Amino acid sequence: MDPDRIVNGVLMSRSPIRRVVAAAAAGALVLGGATVSLGLGAGAAGAQEAQTCSQTSQAVKGPTLETIGATHTYDRSVNTVETTAGQQVTYKTVVSSKGGLPVVTSIKEVPPTGFAAPVSARLTYNGGAAGPIQALPDGNGYKISASALGWLVTSGKPLTLETTYVVPETVTPGSTVTDAGIKVGGTVGIDNDLPDLTSCFSIRLPNVGEAVLSVADATGLGSEEGQLSSTGSVSDILGDALVDVIESGALEGIIS
């Protein structure tokens, strides 16, 4: 039988019953999504930050002589309001046109400071999918380029680029993360440099379920090899993982 342990003056038993209870609690937290309290307060600064941190932005160009009477619209968004370090976020850039037959030849985007190269990129245009594409380093950002004549943008059939990044471990809970816009290359006036076409999301502390899974992954308990064995059940593994989380202090500041 595993010995009991005292953590912060509290007796932590690893008995089978305790393991089952802990596993049930961990499962409920993972499935239910425990809430988080950052303890940041609700002052004027926080309210101002909430107003300026927007998931979406839009820019419009035309109709002008340069666009030959067409109106080009550029939209930028991110798929989450808030997340934690180590999670993935996906940015979406949509280039659309009303009138004319503009052709986009490249899109460069500048991710937030500290972000590594995107883990995936997907392009859709003219009503169909172009499939996965490669985003190559270009100065302070990453660029996708057409391999042939470019991507035609027609009314009702915009061009959509989706790029996925991993949020770096250097982010600070309570802060906001904003990218640095895009630059579009193309013809018929659709080319545009838009450093202010940005998306913003917030960084939070991991919830209890995420902390349990993180510890499980770090110890190998979250892997296929560690999930079941001749010496441990699912309840044993999750129960031990939850006890490890409590002992490590990972829950400090998460539950209030």
Side-chain angles (χ1 to χ4, degrees):
M1 178 180 297
D2 294 338
D4 294 343
R5 287 187 272 180
I6 297 177
V7 181
N8 296 329
V10 178
L11 180 65
M12 302 299 296
S13 173
R14 285 183 177 252
S15 67
I17 294 177
R18 178 75 67 164
R19 285 175 174 173
V20 171
V21 172
L29 290 168
V30 171
L31 294 176
T35 57
V36 178
S37 174
L38 295 177
L40 298 178
Q48 182 178 7
E49 185 177 74
Q51 292 175 357
T52 57
C53 185
S54 175
Q55 278 183 275
T56 64
S57 60
Q58 184 182 83
V60 178
K61 183 178 182 180
T64 63
L65 289 176
E66 182 188 0
T67 65
I68 315 180
T71 299
H72 305 316
T73 303
Y74 312 82
D75 291 281
R76 179 85 166 155
S77 62
V78 66
N79 69 331
T80 187
V81 175
E82 62 176 13
T83 191
T84 65
Q87 299 299 309
Q88 292 188 350
V89 294
T90 298
Y91 289 92
K92 178 186 287 187
T93 299
V94 180
V95 181
S96 57
S97 179
K98 184 177 181 181
L101 295 173
V103 173
V104 173
T105 57
S106 66
I107 298 179
K108 173 185 174 179
E109 65 179 24
V110 183
T113 301
F115 276 49
V119 296
S120 67
R122 183 175 183 271
L123 185 76
T124 303
Y125 77 102
N126 201 24
I133 56 174
Q134 188 174 12
L136 300 175
D138 186 272
N140 59 344
Y142 298 91
K143 182 178 181 180
I144 60 135
S145 301
S147 57
L149 299 178
W151 304 298
L152 181 66
V153 180
T154 60
S155 296
K157 294 182 178 180
L159 181 151
T160 301
L161 171 65
E162 295 174 286
T163 49
T164 299
Y165 296 82
V166 175
V167 179
E169 297 294 336
T170 53
V171 295
T172 304
S175 65
T176 58
V177 176
T178 305
D179 64 311
I182 66 168
K183 183 176 182 178
V184 177
T187 62
V188 199
I190 202 167
D191 57 307
N192 209 345
D193 190 1
L194 299 163
D196 296 324
L197 191 74
T198 62
S199 302
C200 176
F201 61 91
S202 300
I203 299 298
R204 60 171 173 78
L205 289 168
N207 61 41
V208 181
E210 290 166 336
V212 169
L213 292 177
S214 177
V215 170
D217 288 340
T219 59
L221 296 177
S223 65
E224 291 183 3
E225 294 78 5
Q227 289 174 358
L228 291 175
S229 71
S230 60
T231 59
S233 65
V234 172
S235 61
D236 293 337
I237 292 170
L238 288 179
D240 285 346
L242 185 57
V243 172
D244 287 339
V245 169
I246 296 172
E247 291 180 346
S248 70
L251 300 185
E252 294 181 6
I254 295 180
I255 302 177
S256 64

